[in-house]
Amino acid sequence: MSFEELIPAPRKAWWVPPGRGAFPLDEETALHAGPGTERVASWLRATLGAATGLPFPDGRNGIELGVDTGMEPEAYRVAVDGHAVRIDGGSAAGVFWGAQTLRQLLGPDAFRRAPIGPRREWLVPMAVIEDSPRFAWRGLMLDVARHFMPKDGVLRYLDLMAAHKLNVLHFHLTDDQGWRVEIRKYPRLTEVGSWRARTKFGHRASPLWEEKPHGGFYTQDDIREIVAYAAERHITVVPEIDVPGHSQAAIAAYPELGNTDVIDTTSLTVWDNWGISANVLAPTDNTLRFYEGVFEELLELFPSRFVHVGGDECLKDQWRRSPAAQKRIQELGVADEDGLQAWFIGHFDNWLSARGRRLIGWDEILEGGLAKGAAVSSWRGYAGGIAAARAGHDVVMCPEQQVYLDHRQHAGADEPVPIGYVRTLEDVYRFEPVPPELTEDEAAHVLGTQANVWTEVTEDQARVDYQTFPRLSAFAEVAWSRLPAPAERDFADFERRMAAHYRRLDALGVGYRPPSGPLPWQKRPGVLGRPIEGAPPNR
């Protein structure tokens, strides 16, 4: 392998004169951890040691790790000559990203969990690579509410993110179809809210059902393990607890949270269908106190500065019919139900701010006004992000028409459960997170970007893999590398590098969509989707 096959593409790289030599790794190769890099060294020794069978003892005659505070925190420099492999970073995070680059330089077998075959020679090409990320927020949103992903699967995805230099896991933990995190103050959230009796198979218009219970949740110790595992890989886990919509699972567990003056909330169950449930939280003091209790436990589990509160797709029909909600609107002096939602979100913005955290929500939280400190995940195209940035709010760009990876990858009839517009590998590679109409000052509010993986029609790990890869590899380069304008990007070169990267994904056991189309076991013949024809809007 060489630096010419790296993904994401580095900022600068060149061969070390006089030619394309290589530094060998063998039984004598030592690993030296400079101050502040000890945990990176532990990860590198365990990961490369497992793949190569080499011990990497402490010492200076091999791989040397160091922190250079003169560099940007996530920047790194890998320098390989005839004497050593030197990895420096502006922080431990930068050193870690450099270590990921070293792993790629060693070839796809460096991504295995055990050596294959007899002892072999491991060669690191003599080169210098200087690199740093374009965006500070390089994220993947993983929906574990619609279809639960067991803890081991989440840990696996953290490894896959790290291999692509992604650093934020947006963890979608609650929705109408399931509540996935243990809250000790409210045990029924998981006793009742974590499972449903059956599941729609395919789009909500599909006539097919999986007639068996589905569910699962993470204990608080599971969450602590996930967060610690992520932190060792320099990934921040941002939890999402959806309010005030997408809350039927919570209302099924605690009926008093719903609009009891409109419907019989005691008759509700965890939703077994897809779409947007009309059952939303009641705008009462009791609801606020309940979710304060939820967030109190959540803050103990997640050190992330940001806490996501959802705020999307809150149907307000029940509020319009609810005397209690209408009275609340009058008491607050807000104009309408949008103002009522803004009050609800604003309450938790203040509550989180008082505890040193920042609220982030989907772009609907802009409706009715938004507190100054809140940030926005722009999903309904670019418009919400543009409006938020112009109003001085920080933004994470994740427009559904561009980077919703649950949307279909090809127009072919064999594409499993086709949803949305066609978004090919090239389409994702040409995604641009910063809208050109933003001024320089406004663009500074774009914290970064993330790809979103919703799981209504991705029922297990194999389906999540298929929808996510290889497009996440293209997205990772968009998020990390300073690419030209979309039309000027060299997709042919990216495809060339992907030829090597597919072998890395194979070694990692990723069930990606092959360039030639789905394999027989990846198809879902006869399962209804919701394809949208034509080109998606760019705004």
Side-chain angles (χ1 to χ4, degrees), residues 6-208:
L6 295 175
I7 290 178
R11 183 167 52 88
K12 290 171 60 179
W14 62 93
W15 296 104
V16 171
R20 298 191 177 191
F23 180 86
L25 305 183
D26 55 30
E27 296 282 349
E28 305 302 318
T29 303
L31 174 59
H32 174 70
T37 71
E38 294 84 1
R39 294 183 76 103
V40 180
S42 176
W43 175 88
L44 188 58
R45 181 176 285 114
T47 304
L48 285 191
T52 64
L54 300 176
F56 298 110
D58 290 326
R60 288 184 175 273
N61 62 327
I63 303 172
E64 299 184 6
L65 310 181
V67 171
D68 180 351
T69 55
M71 303 169 70
E72 296 176 9
E74 289 192 284
Y76 70 86
R77 185 176 192 265
V78 176
V80 187
D81 57 23
H83 305 286
V85 176
R86 176 79 194 182
I87 304 176
D88 293 301
S91 68
V95 178
F96 181 75
W97 304 131
Q100 290 288 357
T101 292
L102 170 62
R103 193 182 182 197
Q104 288 199 22
L105 291 173
L106 285 168
D109 288 345
F111 289 80
R112 297 187 180 277
R113 296 187 183 182
I116 56 174
R119 288 288 186 192
R120 53 164 285 185
E121 193 174 35
W122 294 90
L123 300 174
V124 189
M126 292 185 188
V128 176
I129 300 164
E130 293 181 351
D131 202 6
S132 60
R134 179 185 179 191
F135 293 110
W137 185 303
R138 307 180 302 279
L140 173 69
M141 197 267 351
L142 192 58
D143 168 20
V144 296
R146 270 53 175 269
H147 277 101
F148 179 65
M149 179 178 284
K151 180 191 67 178
D152 284 353
V154 177
L155 300 180
R156 174 177 176 267
Y157 259 81
L158 289 167
D159 280 328
L160 293 173
M161 289 175 64
H164 289 83
K165 300 185 173 72
L166 298 173
N167 68 344
V168 177
L169 174 65
H170 174 171
F171 209 16
H172 185 80
L173 289 165
T174 72
D175 218 296
D176 298 308
Q177 297 87 358
W179 185 285
R180 305 295 179 214
V181 57
E182 176 189 23
I183 302 297
R184 289 173 178 166
K185 187 174 183 179
Y186 306 121
R188 285 177 59 83
L189 286 173
T190 47
E191 290 171 359
V192 173
S194 70
W195 68 277
R196 56 183 181 264
R198 64 175 187 169
T199 299
K200 175 69 73 171
F201 192 30
H203 181 253
R204 59 180 176 270
S206 167
L208 304 176

Side-chain angles (χ1 to χ4, degrees), residues 63 79 195 235 242 250 269 295 313 336 342 380 395 405 432 507 511:
I63 303 172
W195 68 277
I235 296 171
D242 219 329
T269 60
F295 284 119
E313 298 179 328
D336 52 21
R380 294 180 299 176
V395 179
L405 300 186
E432 173 49 51

Side-chain angles (χ1 to χ4, degrees), residues 137 305-311 341-354 356-378 384-396 444-447:
W137 185 303
R305 186 184 179 198
F306 285 97
V307 175
H308 209 290
V309 299
Q341 177 168 338
W343 163 80
F344 196 105
I345 297 297
H347 173 86
F348 287 103
D349 179 70
N350 293 331
W351 190 91
L352 290 166
S353 295
R357 307 297 182 98
R358 285 187 67 187
L359 179 144
I360 185 169
W362 302 110
D363 54 60
E364 285 96 330
I365 67 173
L366 290 163
E367 298 164 3
L370 181 60
K372 194 67 179 176
V376 171
S377 300
S378 184
I386 292 169
R390 287 177 172 168
H393 296 288
D394 288 339
V395 179
V396 175
H445 283 290
V446 179
L447 299 175

Side-chain angles (χ1 to χ4, degrees), residues 328-349:
R328 197 80 198 221
I329 289 173
Q330 293 175 356
E331 292 171 348
L332 294 170
V334 297
D336 52 21
E337 290 77 18
D338 286 344
L340 189 58
Q341 177 168 338
W343 163 80
F344 196 105
I345 297 297
H347 173 86
F348 287 103
D349 179 70

